Amino acid sequence: EWLHYIGLPAGLEEIGDQAFMDSGLREIVFPSANVHIGSGAFSGTEILRVTLPEGMTSVPGYMFSGAETLEEVVLPSTVQSIGNYAFNKTALRQIELPAGLRSIGDYAFDETALRQIELPAGVQEIGSFAFSFTELESVSLPAGLQSLGSNAFYHCEKLASVSAANPDTRYGTGCFEDTLFFTEGKTAERGAIYLGNSLIALHGNYDTVEIKYGTTHIARDLTSETLRVLKIPVTAEIPYLSGAYLPALHEVWLGEAPAEMEVSLNMNNPINFYLDAEELLVHVPKRFTYGYWALEKNVVICYGGTADEFAQHADVQNYPSLKDKIFFFDGSGTAVGNAWHYGESGEMLLVRGV
């Protein structure tokens, strides 16, 4: 016969890992916050609602994972962290998170029935898949949020509105994949979707996307069937596009800035985008320093000035070995050495030396 109710004794100090896992437990009363609760202690149970004791600071990982009947949880004001998988695959439709909460673990609310969530201002970290496959329609990311894990809101099909109070939050890959926020792209600006200072996705069938000046972070999983030219501002970290799908990309412009600015681009890491393009033309400004000894095999440098200006303003380590991959600007299009010029449609064309 299934155990449906248990009242824990006042002197109890510990509930072990998976202690009541997959039991028929429907109700439990906690005597105090001094009880240490192990991972998965109530996973797979039939609990409908539960109030966790005041003084508890952390919800253990897997605590109610797979408790498919769980509809209501009251968290104490003292909780600062919610562990991995703590409430995933439950029937939760809403939950009030305490003001002191600082972190939400991987898959914490994955595959729940959550329709709304208010994230406290002090939440600093949200883990991977934390709210994936939920019923959320909108979310406001708080001012204290430092990082949002990969796929945090993946496949939240009704999620149409996202706002971010902290412009410097770092976003993992696929944070909002398969949401209305991505597919509708109502906030997109000239082919790009931003949150704060981050470019998090491309949107629409654009040939050229000029990432806005001031952007600091670029998602590494950008996807576009049509993008041929990507212009990256000097304010942004040079991305490793290891998770990107950009089959048409042919030109990447680095160190972009407003016309009135004199730009210097200093790179000590390799120019390596991890893309499958047969040849990738990388445009760099006149004041260019490259402190790495090699270039990715499919990368060609298109310098934004003449050979004389290169000698005056640029500094490329191991230049003798790289010179065959560096092309200088020739406005006339008549040079016979390694040079580049603009074609009729504004594309960069190379003239290779003999």
Side-chain angles (χ1 to χ4, degrees):
E1 186 174 334
W2 290 106
L3 174 68
H4 292 313
Y5 168 82
I6 188 168
L8 300 176
L12 185 67
E13 296 181 353
E14 182 175 358
I15 300 173
D17 294 348
Q18 304 175 357
F20 297 95
M21 179 179 177
D22 293 333
S23 70
L25 189 65
R26 295 178 182 174
E27 186 178 355
I28 187 166
V29 177
F30 293 94
S32 72
N34 296 324
V35 178
H36 172 76
I37 302 174
S39 173
F42 303 98
S43 61
T45 58
E46 297 179 10
I47 294 174
L48 298 176
R49 54 188 59 87
V50 66
T51 298
L52 299 181
E54 194 67 30
M56 185 180 191
T57 59
S58 177
V59 179
Y62 296 87
M63 185 173 185
F64 296 100
S65 176
E68 296 179 352
T69 58
L70 183 62
E71 296 180 349
E72 181 181 340
V73 174
V74 178
L75 297 177
S77 63
T78 48
V79 165
Q80 298 178 17
S81 65
I82 297 174
N84 298 343
Y85 295 86
F87 300 106
N88 89 304
K89 296 186 178 181
T90 64
L92 279 177
R93 291 192 175 187
Q94 61 182 24
I95 187 169
E96 184 175 347
L97 302 178
L101 186 66
R102 294 293 179 265
S103 66
I104 299 173
D106 298 345
Y107 294 87
F109 296 96
D110 165 62
E111 294 192 60
T112 63
L114 279 178
R115 295 181 178 178
Q116 59 183 17
I117 193 75
E118 184 174 344
L119 297 168
V123 171
Q124 299 174 358
E125 181 180 1
I126 297 175
S128 299
F129 293 91
F131 295 95
S132 57
F133 292 94
T134 59
E135 300 295 316
L136 292 171
E137 297 180 3
S138 65
V139 64
S140 297
L141 301 176
L145 187 63
Q146 297 174 10
S147 64
L148 185 66
S150 60
N151 302 100
F153 293 91
Y154 173 71
H155 207 75
C156 295
E157 293 181 319
K158 298 178 182 179
L159 184 61
S161 174
V162 179
S163 62
N166 181 359
D168 297 318
T169 296
R170 298 299 293 263
Y171 298 92
T173 58
C175 287
F176 303 99
E177 187 175 347
D178 289 346
T179 66
L180 289 176
F181 176 62
F182 262 21
T183 58
E184 292 184 343
K186 291 181 178 179
T187 63
E189 302 175 40
R190 298 179 181 179
I193 299 176
Y194 300 92
L195 279 176
N197 295 328
S198 293
L199 167 67
I200 59 172
L202 300 175
H203 183 78
N205 297 322
Y206 281 75
D207 171 87
T208 299
V209 168
E210 185 172 348
I211 300 172
K212 65 183 180 182
Y213 183 79
T215 299
T216 57
H217 179 67
I218 299 169
R220 63 173 57 192
D221 59 338
L222 299 179
T223 298
S224 172
E225 291 273 2
T226 60
L227 185 69
R228 193 183 61 83
V229 180
L230 182 64
K231 296 190 174 185
I232 299 175
V234 69
T235 55
E237 298 176 2
I238 307 302
Y240 289 140
L241 299 174
S242 53
Y245 176 68
L246 302 168
L249 189 65
H250 186 56
E251 299 179 17
V252 176
W253 291 54
L254 301 180
E256 293 295 282
E260 65 274 11
M261 289 185 61
E262 186 175 272
V263 175
S264 295
L265 180 64
N266 302 309
M267 298 186 64
N268 291 315
N269 294 321
I271 297 177
N272 193 342
F273 296 100
Y274 295 99
L275 295 171
D276 292 331
E278 183 177 342
E279 186 170 64
L280 195 62
L281 309 186
V282 178
H283 181 280
V284 298
K286 291 180 181 179
R287 298 183 181 278
F288 173 61
T289 300
Y290 187 60
Y292 196 73
W293 61 273
L295 288 168
E296 189 178 6
K297 64 180 181 180
N298 64 345
V299 167
V300 170
I301 296 294
C302 293
Y303 178 69
T306 65
D308 289 340
E309 289 172 315
F310 181 87
Q312 182 179 357
H313 298 298
D315 183 11
V316 173
Q317 181 177 324
N318 200 25
Y319 174 71
S321 297
L322 300 179
K323 64 180 181 180
D324 290 341
K325 302 191 72 174
I326 299 177
F327 290 69
F328 307 106
F329 179 63
D330 169 43
S332 67
T334 60
V336 294
N338 271 16
W340 70 272
H341 62 274
Y342 293 108
E344 292 182 0
S345 300
E347 75 278 17
M348 290 193 290
L349 299 178
L350 302 183
V351 177
R352 300 185 185 276
V354 179

